[in-house]
């Protein structure tokens, strides 16, 4: 099937630079996606955008280029609850990828078992209104209760202004909860202001909550430029991510978010995204936790 990309869609960066920062051995890219290809894995009728294709081969080529060892492929909303492109990526990774699925309340026990066998270890609940239609909380809680016995976790995606309203639901979830992109703070606000303090409290008071310190390119207002030739990208996002890494060193994970859906202003050089890491995790010990130990505990616990 032929798909027309959403007008203005930015394609992923074709020739990313080699990062200056050498990722530790065993680094996990804990947040990335595959899109289609649409001809093989059609985009969902209920999708809110139509992306460019971004295949598993292209994802794994980026993995090797950047010096990453493993991926966690997160089901993107453009595929709805049809997880086949993501599952295909897992099954063709030589065991080097695990996944996060989207499922509906009518998912069968057998389908959950199949997803588990393919390497899925969680489900994603999305509360970003431009990306998904509303699903009643009671349905989501039902799903959470069904996946909990599999040892899976729940990934939540929301914007910072919505955290107060979602608080009671999030804090009632029966599993480990992993937050996408630091709960999408508005980085024009102070890192110690009420909005980000609420997110800090969310993590401080709930030891089952983890955060992805991802998406500086999505959260940044200042943008990517490296000043004076330095590779110090997305400076305005650094204080937020660094605060999380330093306060919760054992509950943070990192990822590229390739192929970066829905960016409007620029498409990041993924090499530069790797060079963001030493600015937010400043010691070898914190880098190893962020990039290797923590994601391995979540996604490959049997290898501990
Ligand atoms: C991300 C961010 C976005 C999109 C999705 O599944 C998705 O469509 O996650 C976004 O538009 O902010 O994590 O990839």
């Amino acid at each position: 099937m032929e798909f027309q990309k959403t007008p203005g869609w930015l394609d992923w960066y074709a020739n990313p630079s080699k990062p200056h920062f050498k990722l530790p051995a065993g680094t996990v890219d804990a947040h990335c996606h595959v899109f289609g290809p649409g001809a093989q894995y059609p985009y969902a009728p209920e999708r809110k955008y139509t992306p460019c294709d971004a295949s598993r081969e292209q994802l794994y080529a980026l993995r090797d280029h950047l010096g990453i060892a493993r991926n966690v492929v997160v089901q993107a909303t453009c595929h709805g609850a049809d997880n086949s492109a993501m599952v295909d990526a897992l099954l063709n990774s030589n065991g080097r990828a695990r996944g996060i699925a989207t499922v509906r309340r009518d998912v069968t026990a057998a389908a959950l078992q199949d997803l588990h066998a393919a390497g899925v270890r969680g489900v994603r609940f999305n509360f970003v209104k431009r990306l998904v239609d509303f699903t009643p909380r009671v349905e989501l809680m039902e799903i959470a209760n069904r996946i909990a016995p599999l040892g899976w976790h729940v990934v939540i995606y929301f914007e910072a202004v919505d955290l107060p309203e979602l608080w009671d639901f999030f804090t009632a979830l029966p599993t480990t909860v992993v937050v996408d992109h630091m709960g999408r703070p508005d980085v024009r606000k102070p890192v110690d202001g009420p909005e980000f303090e609420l997110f800090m409290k969310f993590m401080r008071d709930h030891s089952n909550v983890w955060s992805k310190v991802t998406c500086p390119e999505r959260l940044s207002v200042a943008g990517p430029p490296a000043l004076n030739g330095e590779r110090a990208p997305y400076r305005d996002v650094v204080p937020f991510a660094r605060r999380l890494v330093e306060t919760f060193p054992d509950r943070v994970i990192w990822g590229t978010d390739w192929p970066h859906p829905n960016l409007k202003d620029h498409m990041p050089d993924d090499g530069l995204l790797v060079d963001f890491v030493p600015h937010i995790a400043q010691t070898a010990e914190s880098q190893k936790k962020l990039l290797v130990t923590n994601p391995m505990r979540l996604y490959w616990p049997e290898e501990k």
Side-chain angles (χ1 to χ4, degrees):
M1 201 185 295
E2 278 286 319
F3 288 93
Q4 288 291 324
K5 289 184 283 188
T6 298
W9 185 268
L10 296 182
D11 293 356
W12 42 276
Y13 204 89
N15 293 300
S17 60
K18 270 279 180 203
H20 291 194
F21 176 63
K22 190 171 171 340
L23 289 165
T27 287
V28 180
D29 175 352
H31 186 97
C32 53
H33 311 285
V34 289
F35 296 152
Q40 199 180 348
Y41 298 109
Y43 299 111
E46 72 273 24
R47 71 192 179 279
K48 305 293 183 207
Y49 63 85
T50 307
C52 63
D53 288 338
S55 69
R56 62 173 157 81
E57 290 88 350
Q58 289 161 331
L59 173 63
Y60 297 150
L62 179 74
R63 172 197 69 194
D64 296 343
H65 174 78
L66 297 178
I68 288 166
R70 307 184 194 218
N71 298 90
V72 180
V73 185
V74 176
Q75 173 76 354
T77 57
C78 57
H79 280 296
D82 176 355
N83 294 289
S84 24
M86 181 270 290
V87 163
D88 171 67
L90 306 191
L91 294 176
N92 288 280
S93 70
N94 291 320
R96 292 171 68 185
R98 292 247 146 117
I100 295 294
T102 296
V103 299
R104 308 278 182 236
R105 78 187 312 180
D106 60 359
V107 65
T108 63
L112 289 177
Q113 286 300 342
D114 287 349
L115 289 169
H116 190 85
V120 169
R121 293 294 179 267
V123 291
R124 191 181 195 206
F125 295 165
N126 200 319
F127 301 88
V128 178
K129 297 175 187 84
R130 70 185 158 78
L131 290 173
V132 284
D133 296 324
F134 178 78
T135 306
R137 309 272 190 272
V138 59
E139 287 186 28
L140 296 176
M141 195 55 85
E142 209 177 296
I143 293 169
N145 285 321
R146 291 204 40 216
I147 59 98
L150 294 166
W152 291 13
H153 59 267
V154 174
V155 171
I156 51 177
Y157 190 24
F158 62 94
E159 295 183 329
V161 289
D162 296 323
L163 180 56
E165 191 246 314
L166 292 162
W167 184 276
D168 289 347
F169 175 73
F170 289 165
T171 55
L173 286 167
T175 61
T176 293
V177 173
V178 182
V179 180
D180 278 342
H181 318 329
M182 304 185 274
R184 288 200 63 126
D186 179 345
V187 300
R188 291 166 303 189
K189 295 181 181 168
V191 68
D192 55 358
E195 189 176 274
F196 201 61
E197 282 300 342
L198 186 68
F199 187 70
M200 293 296 291
K201 180 176 165 54
F202 182 41
M203 289 199 63
R204 197 182 313 114
D205 292 357
H206 303 95
S207 58
N208 63 322
V209 178
W210 295 45
S211 180
K212 297 181 191 170
V213 287
T214 37
C215 274
E217 75 288 3
R218 195 176 289 287
L219 301 172
S220 180
V221 178
L227 300 180
N228 308 321
E230 263 183 76
R231 286 171 70 90
Y234 306 110
R235 287 162 183 254
D236 51 346
V237 187
V238 167
F240 294 83
R242 190 188 288 173
R243 190 166 176 209
L244 289 174
V245 169
E246 289 177 355
T247 314
F248 307 108
D250 298 311
R251 287 189 274 142
V252 284
I253 55 179
W254 171 86
T256 59
D257 194 33
W258 188 89
H260 314 288
N262 298 310
L263 290 185
K264 299 279 181 273
D265 302 325
H266 79 288
M267 183 49 60
D269 167 359
D270 297 278
L272 213 52
L273 289 177
V274 170
D275 286 341
F276 179 70
V277 170
H279 296 276
I280 63 169
Q282 296 185 289
T283 65
E285 189 192 355
S286 63
Q287 290 161 4
K288 185 154 186 222
K289 286 184 173 191
L290 173 69
L291 300 164
V292 186
T293 323
N294 297 345
M296 287 300 287
R297 260 168 55 221
L298 262 189
Y299 292 99
W300 283 271
E302 70 279 11
E303 288 190 31
K304 253 199 312 192

